[in-house]
């Protein structure tokens, strides 16, 4: 997971192309100017398993990793903003 820990002030978001919740969160983050790195779990080897580890065996997206190494599943943009302190 360390390789996916983002820089301060940004997040790493695990997603898929077909996930409506991912699309919504990306639009909200873009509107608020919050930076993120998107990782498609269907294209990047090993990331689907990482998401399953974080979510107790469930392949749930969006799963977000914060700079402090903590994670959240399907967080609101407000939660991301609060967690980042921006």
């Amino acid at each position: 997971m360390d390789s996916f820990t983002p820089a301060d002030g940004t997040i790493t978001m695990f997603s898929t192309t077909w996930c409506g919740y991912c699309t919504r969160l990306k639009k909200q983050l873009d509107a608020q100017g919050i930076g993120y790195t998107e990782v498609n779990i269907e294209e990047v080897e090993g990331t689907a398993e990482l998401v399953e580890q974080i979510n107790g065996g469930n392949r749930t997206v969006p799963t977000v990793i914060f700079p402090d190494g903590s994670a959240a599943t399907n967080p609101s943009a407000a939660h991301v903003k609060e967690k980042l302190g921006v």
Side-chain angles (χ1 to χ4, degrees):
M1 185 159 86
D2 288 342
S3 62
F4 294 105
T5 302
D8 286 344
T10 68
I11 61 168
T12 299
M13 177 175 26
F14 296 100
S15 67
T16 61
T17 55
W18 48 265
C19 170
Y21 295 109
C22 300
T23 301
R24 182 185 69 202
L25 181 58
K26 287 187 290 186
K27 286 180 182 178
Q28 292 171 344
L29 295 174
D30 288 342
Q32 295 186 36
I34 298 171
Y36 59 90
T37 300
E38 183 177 9
V39 179
N40 186 325
I41 66 168
E42 295 179 321
E43 296 174 355
V44 180
E45 191 173 326
T47 55
E49 293 78 11
L50 177 59
V51 166
E52 289 174 356
Q53 268 184 335
I54 293 169
N55 293 300
N58 297 312
R59 195 175 289 194
T60 307
V61 289
T63 294
V64 169
I65 297 179
F66 296 99
D68 66 3
S70 64
T73 305
N74 195 16
S76 66
H79 176 79
V80 171
K81 189 174 181 177
E82 178 183 320
K83 182 80 175 167
L84 292 176
V86 295

